[in-house]
Short mmCIF file of all heavy atoms in Angstrom, two decimals:
data_model
loop_
_atom_site.label_atom_id
_atom_site.label_comp_id
_atom_site.label_asym_id
_atom_site.label_seq_id
_atom_site.Cartn_x
_atom_site.Cartn_y
_atom_site.Cartn_z
N ASP A 1 0.82 -1.21 0.00
CA ASP A 1 0.00 0.00 0.00
C ASP A 1 0.86 1.26 0.00
O ASP A 1 0.53 2.24 -0.67
CB ASP A 1 -0.92 0.02 1.22
CG ASP A 1 -1.95 -1.09 1.21
OD1 ASP A 1 -2.20 -1.67 0.14
OD2 ASP A 1 -2.51 -1.40 2.29
N ARG A 2 1.96 1.24 0.72
CA ARG A 2 2.80 2.43 0.89
C ARG A 2 3.78 2.64 -0.27
O ARG A 2 3.97 3.76 -0.72
CB ARG A 2 3.58 2.32 2.19
CG ARG A 2 4.42 3.56 2.50
CD ARG A 2 5.13 3.47 3.83
NE ARG A 2 4.14 3.32 4.89
CZ ARG A 2 4.39 2.74 6.06
NH1 ARG A 2 5.58 2.24 6.32
NH2 ARG A 2 3.46 2.65 6.98
N HIS A 3 4.42 1.56 -0.73
CA HIS A 3 5.50 1.69 -1.71
C HIS A 3 5.19 1.10 -3.08
O HIS A 3 5.95 1.34 -4.03
CB HIS A 3 6.78 1.02 -1.17
CG HIS A 3 7.23 1.57 0.13
ND1 HIS A 3 7.72 2.86 0.29
CD2 HIS A 3 7.29 1.01 1.37
CE1 HIS A 3 8.05 3.06 1.55
NE2 HIS A 3 7.80 1.96 2.23
N GLY A 4 4.16 0.28 -3.19
CA GLY A 4 3.77 -0.28 -4.47
C GLY A 4 4.33 -1.67 -4.73
O GLY A 4 5.22 -2.15 -4.02
N ALA A 5 3.79 -2.28 -5.78
CA ALA A 5 4.15 -3.65 -6.14
C ALA A 5 5.62 -3.83 -6.52
O ALA A 5 6.23 -4.84 -6.12
CB ALA A 5 3.25 -4.16 -7.27
N PRO A 6 6.25 -2.91 -7.26
CA PRO A 6 7.67 -3.12 -7.60
C PRO A 6 8.56 -3.21 -6.36
O PRO A 6 9.48 -4.03 -6.30
CB PRO A 6 8.02 -1.90 -8.46
CG PRO A 6 6.72 -1.48 -9.07
CD PRO A 6 5.70 -1.75 -7.99
N HIS A 7 8.27 -2.40 -5.36
CA HIS A 7 9.05 -2.43 -4.12
C HIS A 7 8.90 -3.79 -3.43
O HIS A 7 9.89 -4.41 -3.04
CB HIS A 7 8.58 -1.30 -3.18
CG HIS A 7 9.26 -1.29 -1.85
ND1 HIS A 7 10.41 -0.58 -1.62
CD2 HIS A 7 8.94 -1.89 -0.67
CE1 HIS A 7 10.79 -0.75 -0.36
NE2 HIS A 7 9.91 -1.55 0.25
N VAL A 8 7.66 -4.24 -3.29
CA VAL A 8 7.40 -5.51 -2.60
C VAL A 8 7.98 -6.68 -3.39
O VAL A 8 8.55 -7.61 -2.81
CB VAL A 8 5.89 -5.69 -2.33
CG1 VAL A 8 5.59 -7.08 -1.79
CG2 VAL A 8 5.41 -4.62 -1.35
N THR A 9 7.88 -6.64 -4.71
CA THR A 9 8.43 -7.71 -5.53
C THR A 9 9.94 -7.81 -5.34
O THR A 9 10.48 -8.90 -5.12
CB THR A 9 8.10 -7.47 -7.02
OG1 THR A 9 6.68 -7.46 -7.18
CG2 THR A 9 8.70 -8.55 -7.90
N LEU A 10 10.64 -6.67 -5.40
CA LEU A 10 12.09 -6.70 -5.21
C LEU A 10 12.44 -7.09 -3.77
O LEU A 10 13.40 -7.82 -3.54
CB LEU A 10 12.72 -5.34 -5.56
CG LEU A 10 14.24 -5.27 -5.44
CD1 LEU A 10 14.92 -6.34 -6.32
CD2 LEU A 10 14.74 -3.88 -5.80
N LEU A 11 11.67 -6.65 -2.82
CA LEU A 11 11.89 -7.01 -1.42
C LEU A 11 11.84 -8.52 -1.23
O LEU A 11 12.76 -9.13 -0.66
CB LEU A 11 10.82 -6.33 -0.56
CG LEU A 11 10.71 -6.74 0.90
CD1 LEU A 11 11.99 -6.44 1.65
CD2 LEU A 11 9.53 -6.02 1.54
N ILE A 12 10.80 -9.15 -1.75
CA ILE A 12 10.65 -10.60 -1.63
C ILE A 12 11.77 -11.32 -2.39
O ILE A 12 12.38 -12.25 -1.87
CB ILE A 12 9.26 -11.05 -2.13
CG1 ILE A 12 8.18 -10.52 -1.18
CG2 ILE A 12 9.19 -12.57 -2.25
CD1 ILE A 12 6.76 -10.69 -1.70
N ARG A 13 12.04 -10.87 -3.60
CA ARG A 13 13.10 -11.51 -4.40
C ARG A 13 14.46 -11.38 -3.71
O ARG A 13 15.26 -12.31 -3.73
CB ARG A 13 13.16 -10.90 -5.80
CG ARG A 13 11.96 -11.30 -6.66
CD ARG A 13 12.13 -10.85 -8.07
NE ARG A 13 13.25 -11.59 -8.66
CZ ARG A 13 13.92 -11.19 -9.73
NH1 ARG A 13 13.61 -10.07 -10.32
NH2 ARG A 13 14.91 -11.91 -10.21
N THR A 14 14.73 -10.22 -3.13
CA THR A 14 16.00 -10.02 -2.45
C THR A 14 16.20 -11.06 -1.36
O THR A 14 17.28 -11.65 -1.24
CB THR A 14 16.06 -8.59 -1.84
OG1 THR A 14 15.96 -7.64 -2.91
CG2 THR A 14 17.34 -8.38 -1.05
N ILE A 15 15.17 -11.31 -0.61
CA ILE A 15 15.28 -12.24 0.51
C ILE A 15 15.31 -13.69 0.02
O ILE A 15 16.24 -14.44 0.33
CB ILE A 15 14.13 -12.02 1.52
CG1 ILE A 15 14.25 -10.62 2.14
CG2 ILE A 15 14.14 -13.11 2.59
CD1 ILE A 15 13.05 -10.18 2.93
N ILE A 16 14.34 -14.09 -0.77
CA ILE A 16 14.23 -15.52 -1.10
C ILE A 16 15.19 -15.98 -2.19
O ILE A 16 15.50 -17.16 -2.26
CB ILE A 16 12.79 -15.94 -1.43
CG1 ILE A 16 12.30 -15.29 -2.71
CG2 ILE A 16 11.86 -15.66 -0.27
CD1 ILE A 16 10.96 -15.85 -3.19
N GLU A 17 15.68 -15.06 -3.00
CA GLU A 17 16.60 -15.46 -4.07
C GLU A 17 18.06 -15.34 -3.67
O GLU A 17 18.93 -15.82 -4.40
CB GLU A 17 16.33 -14.67 -5.35
CG GLU A 17 15.01 -15.03 -5.99
CD GLU A 17 14.74 -14.30 -7.29
OE1 GLU A 17 15.67 -13.65 -7.83
OE2 GLU A 17 13.60 -14.36 -7.77
N SER A 18 18.34 -14.71 -2.54
CA SER A 18 19.73 -14.66 -2.11
C SER A 18 20.08 -15.99 -1.45
O SER A 18 19.26 -16.61 -0.80
CB SER A 18 19.98 -13.47 -1.18
OG SER A 18 19.18 -13.53 -0.03
N GLU A 19 21.31 -16.39 -1.63
CA GLU A 19 21.77 -17.71 -1.21
C GLU A 19 21.60 -17.93 0.29
O GLU A 19 22.07 -17.14 1.11
CB GLU A 19 23.24 -17.87 -1.59
CG GLU A 19 23.78 -19.25 -1.39
CD GLU A 19 25.19 -19.36 -1.92
OE1 GLU A 19 25.44 -18.88 -3.05
OE2 GLU A 19 26.03 -19.92 -1.21
N GLY A 20 20.88 -19.00 0.63
CA GLY A 20 20.71 -19.38 2.03
C GLY A 20 19.67 -18.60 2.80
O GLY A 20 19.52 -18.80 4.00
N ASN A 21 18.92 -17.72 2.15
CA ASN A 21 17.98 -16.87 2.86
C ASN A 21 16.51 -17.14 2.52
O ASN A 21 15.64 -16.36 2.91
CB ASN A 21 18.30 -15.40 2.61
CG ASN A 21 19.58 -14.98 3.27
OD1 ASN A 21 19.87 -15.40 4.39
ND2 ASN A 21 20.36 -14.17 2.59
N ALA A 22 16.23 -18.22 1.84
CA ALA A 22 14.86 -18.51 1.42
C ALA A 22 13.90 -18.62 2.60
O ALA A 22 12.72 -18.33 2.47
CB ALA A 22 14.81 -19.79 0.60
N ASN A 23 14.41 -18.99 3.77
CA ASN A 23 13.55 -19.14 4.94
C ASN A 23 13.47 -17.86 5.77
O ASN A 23 12.90 -17.87 6.87
CB ASN A 23 14.06 -20.29 5.82
CG ASN A 23 15.44 -20.02 6.39
OD1 ASN A 23 16.20 -19.23 5.83
ND2 ASN A 23 15.77 -20.68 7.47
N ALA A 24 13.99 -16.76 5.28
CA ALA A 24 14.06 -15.52 6.05
C ALA A 24 12.93 -14.55 5.74
O ALA A 24 13.03 -13.37 6.08
CB ALA A 24 15.41 -14.85 5.81
N LEU A 25 11.87 -15.01 5.14
CA LEU A 25 10.76 -14.12 4.81
C LEU A 25 9.86 -13.98 6.04
O LEU A 25 8.73 -14.45 6.08
CB LEU A 25 9.98 -14.67 3.60
CG LEU A 25 9.12 -13.68 2.85
CD1 LEU A 25 9.95 -12.53 2.29
CD2 LEU A 25 8.37 -14.37 1.72
N ILE A 26 10.41 -13.33 7.06
CA ILE A 26 9.71 -13.10 8.31
C ILE A 26 9.73 -11.61 8.63
O ILE A 26 10.55 -10.86 8.08
CB ILE A 26 10.30 -13.93 9.47
CG1 ILE A 26 11.75 -13.55 9.73
CG2 ILE A 26 10.17 -15.43 9.20
CD1 ILE A 26 12.33 -14.17 10.98
N GLU A 27 8.87 -11.20 9.53
CA GLU A 27 8.63 -9.78 9.78
C GLU A 27 9.89 -8.95 10.06
O GLU A 27 10.10 -7.93 9.39
CB GLU A 27 7.59 -9.60 10.88
CG GLU A 27 7.05 -8.18 10.98
CD GLU A 27 7.97 -7.25 11.73
OE1 GLU A 27 8.64 -7.69 12.69
OE2 GLU A 27 8.07 -6.06 11.34
N PRO A 28 10.77 -9.31 11.00
CA PRO A 28 11.91 -8.42 11.23
C PRO A 28 12.82 -8.27 10.01
O PRO A 28 13.33 -7.18 9.75
CB PRO A 28 12.67 -9.09 12.39
CG PRO A 28 11.74 -10.08 12.98
CD PRO A 28 10.75 -10.44 11.92
N VAL A 29 13.00 -9.33 9.26
CA VAL A 29 13.86 -9.28 8.07
C VAL A 29 13.18 -8.45 6.99
O VAL A 29 13.83 -7.60 6.35
CB VAL A 29 14.19 -10.70 7.56
CG1 VAL A 29 14.97 -10.64 6.26
CG2 VAL A 29 14.96 -11.48 8.62
N ILE A 30 11.90 -8.67 6.78
CA ILE A 30 11.15 -7.90 5.79
C ILE A 30 11.24 -6.41 6.11
O ILE A 30 11.49 -5.58 5.23
CB ILE A 30 9.68 -8.36 5.73
CG1 ILE A 30 9.59 -9.76 5.12
CG2 ILE A 30 8.81 -7.37 4.96
CD1 ILE A 30 8.23 -10.40 5.29
N SER A 31 11.04 -6.06 7.37
CA SER A 31 11.10 -4.66 7.78
C SER A 31 12.48 -4.06 7.53
O SER A 31 12.61 -2.94 7.03
CB SER A 31 10.74 -4.53 9.26
OG SER A 31 9.40 -4.88 9.47
N ALA A 32 13.52 -4.81 7.90
CA ALA A 32 14.89 -4.30 7.76
C ALA A 32 15.26 -4.09 6.29
O ALA A 32 15.82 -3.05 5.93
CB ALA A 32 15.86 -5.27 8.42
N VAL A 33 14.96 -5.07 5.45
CA VAL A 33 15.33 -4.96 4.03
C VAL A 33 14.53 -3.86 3.35
O VAL A 33 15.08 -3.08 2.57
CB VAL A 33 15.17 -6.32 3.32
CG1 VAL A 33 15.43 -6.18 1.82
CG2 VAL A 33 16.12 -7.36 3.92
N SER A 34 13.25 -3.74 3.68
CA SER A 34 12.44 -2.68 3.09
C SER A 34 12.96 -1.30 3.48
O SER A 34 13.09 -0.41 2.64
CB SER A 34 10.98 -2.82 3.53
OG SER A 34 10.20 -1.76 3.01
N LYS A 35 13.29 -1.14 4.75
CA LYS A 35 13.82 0.14 5.21
C LYS A 35 15.14 0.46 4.51
O LYS A 35 15.39 1.61 4.14
CB LYS A 35 14.00 0.09 6.73
CG LYS A 35 14.31 1.40 7.36
CD LYS A 35 14.26 1.27 8.88
CE LYS A 35 14.44 2.62 9.55
NZ LYS A 35 14.30 2.52 11.01
N LEU A 36 15.95 -0.54 4.31
CA LEU A 36 17.21 -0.36 3.59
C LEU A 36 16.95 0.09 2.16
O LEU A 36 17.64 0.98 1.65
CB LEU A 36 17.99 -1.67 3.62
CG LEU A 36 19.41 -1.65 3.10
CD1 LEU A 36 20.28 -0.68 3.91
CD2 LEU A 36 19.99 -3.04 3.16
N MET A 37 15.96 -0.51 1.52
CA MET A 37 15.62 -0.14 0.15
C MET A 37 15.14 1.31 0.06
O MET A 37 15.39 1.99 -0.93
CB MET A 37 14.54 -1.08 -0.40
CG MET A 37 15.03 -2.49 -0.63
SD MET A 37 13.69 -3.66 -0.98
CE MET A 37 13.07 -3.01 -2.54
N VAL A 38 14.47 1.79 1.10
CA VAL A 38 13.96 3.16 1.12
C VAL A 38 15.09 4.16 1.41
O VAL A 38 15.18 5.19 0.76
CB VAL A 38 12.82 3.30 2.16
CG1 VAL A 38 12.45 4.75 2.38
CG2 VAL A 38 11.60 2.49 1.70
N PHE A 39 15.95 3.84 2.37
CA PHE A 39 17.00 4.77 2.78
C PHE A 39 18.19 4.79 1.83
O PHE A 39 18.87 5.81 1.73
CB PHE A 39 17.47 4.46 4.20
CG PHE A 39 16.59 5.05 5.25
CD1 PHE A 39 15.49 4.37 5.71
CD2 PHE A 39 16.86 6.31 5.77
CE1 PHE A 39 14.66 4.91 6.67
CE2 PHE A 39 16.04 6.87 6.73
CZ PHE A 39 14.93 6.17 7.19
N GLU A 40 18.46 3.69 1.19
CA GLU A 40 19.60 3.60 0.26
C GLU A 40 19.08 3.27 -1.14
O GLU A 40 19.37 2.23 -1.70
CB GLU A 40 20.61 2.55 0.73
CG GLU A 40 21.19 2.82 2.10
CD GLU A 40 22.07 4.07 2.15
OE1 GLU A 40 22.44 4.62 1.09
OE2 GLU A 40 22.38 4.50 3.28
N ARG A 41 18.30 4.15 -1.70
CA ARG A 41 17.57 3.91 -2.95
C ARG A 41 18.46 3.49 -4.12
O ARG A 41 18.02 2.74 -4.99
CB ARG A 41 16.76 5.14 -3.35
CG ARG A 41 15.62 5.42 -2.42
CD ARG A 41 14.75 6.55 -2.95
NE ARG A 41 13.69 6.86 -2.03
CZ ARG A 41 12.54 6.23 -1.98
NH1 ARG A 41 12.30 5.25 -2.81
NH2 ARG A 41 11.61 6.58 -1.12
N GLU A 42 19.69 3.95 -4.16
CA GLU A 42 20.55 3.62 -5.30
C GLU A 42 21.06 2.18 -5.23
O GLU A 42 21.36 1.58 -6.26
CB GLU A 42 21.73 4.61 -5.41
CG GLU A 42 22.76 4.52 -4.31
CD GLU A 42 22.39 5.24 -3.01
OE1 GLU A 42 21.32 5.87 -2.93
OE2 GLU A 42 23.18 5.15 -2.05
N TRP A 43 21.18 1.60 -4.06
CA TRP A 43 21.69 0.24 -3.94
C TRP A 43 20.81 -0.79 -4.63
O TRP A 43 21.31 -1.60 -5.40
CB TRP A 43 21.93 -0.14 -2.49
CG TRP A 43 23.00 0.64 -1.79
CD1 TRP A 43 23.85 1.58 -2.35
CD2 TRP A 43 23.34 0.58 -0.42
NE1 TRP A 43 24.69 2.10 -1.39
CE2 TRP A 43 24.40 1.50 -0.19
CE3 TRP A 43 22.86 -0.15 0.65
CZ2 TRP A 43 24.97 1.68 1.06
CZ3 TRP A 43 23.43 0.03 1.90
CH2 TRP A 43 24.48 0.94 2.09
N PRO A 44 19.50 -0.81 -4.39
CA PRO A 44 18.65 -1.80 -5.07
C PRO A 44 18.63 -1.62 -6.59
O PRO A 44 18.36 -2.57 -7.32
CB PRO A 44 17.25 -1.56 -4.50
CG PRO A 44 17.47 -0.85 -3.21
CD PRO A 44 18.73 -0.06 -3.39
N ASN A 45 18.95 -0.44 -7.06
CA ASN A 45 18.97 -0.19 -8.50
C ASN A 45 20.18 -0.81 -9.19
O ASN A 45 20.31 -0.72 -10.40
CB ASN A 45 18.94 1.32 -8.78
CG ASN A 45 17.61 1.92 -8.43
OD1 ASN A 45 16.58 1.25 -8.44
ND2 ASN A 45 17.61 3.20 -8.11
N ARG A 46 21.04 -1.45 -8.45
CA ARG A 46 22.23 -2.09 -9.04
C ARG A 46 21.95 -3.48 -9.57
O ARG A 46 22.86 -4.23 -9.90
CB ARG A 46 23.35 -2.12 -8.01
CG ARG A 46 23.72 -0.71 -7.59
CD ARG A 46 25.12 -0.58 -7.23
NE ARG A 46 25.39 0.78 -6.76
CZ ARG A 46 26.46 1.10 -6.10
NH1 ARG A 46 27.36 0.19 -5.83
NH2 ARG A 46 26.66 2.33 -5.71
N GLY A 47 20.67 -3.84 -9.62
CA GLY A 47 20.27 -5.11 -10.25
C GLY A 47 20.75 -6.32 -9.48
O GLY A 47 20.61 -6.43 -8.27
N LEU A 48 21.35 -7.24 -10.22
CA LEU A 48 21.78 -8.51 -9.64
C LEU A 48 22.82 -8.31 -8.54
O LEU A 48 22.87 -9.09 -7.59
CB LEU A 48 22.33 -9.42 -10.74
CG LEU A 48 22.58 -10.87 -10.37
CD1 LEU A 48 21.33 -11.51 -9.79
CD2 LEU A 48 23.04 -11.64 -11.59
#
């Protein structure tokens, strides 16, 4: 609702597609990664 589908899609992909983190789709991790994406906007734009 706040950031839109592209943000949430990248957030989920970041967590579950990174090596060894598929089981980390839990609230504290989701919050931390999302906040990182908001505060450091240029980092997620680096693609892979």
Side-chain angles (χ1 to χ4, degrees):
D1 295 342
R2 184 177 300 154
H3 302 293
H7 177 90
V8 172
T9 299
L10 182 57
L11 170 62
I12 292 170
R13 289 188 66 201
T14 298
I15 296 169
I16 66 171
E17 291 182 11
S18 59
E19 188 173 315
N21 290 321
N23 64 336
L25 200 60
I26 61 171
E27 193 280 326
V29 175
I30 291 168
S31 294
V33 175
S34 178
K35 190 171 186 176
L36 188 61
M37 290 170 64
V38 170
F39 277 87
E40 300 294 347
R41 292 187 183 275
E42 68 279 358
W43 294 355
N45 290 334
R46 299 211 184 164
L48 192 54

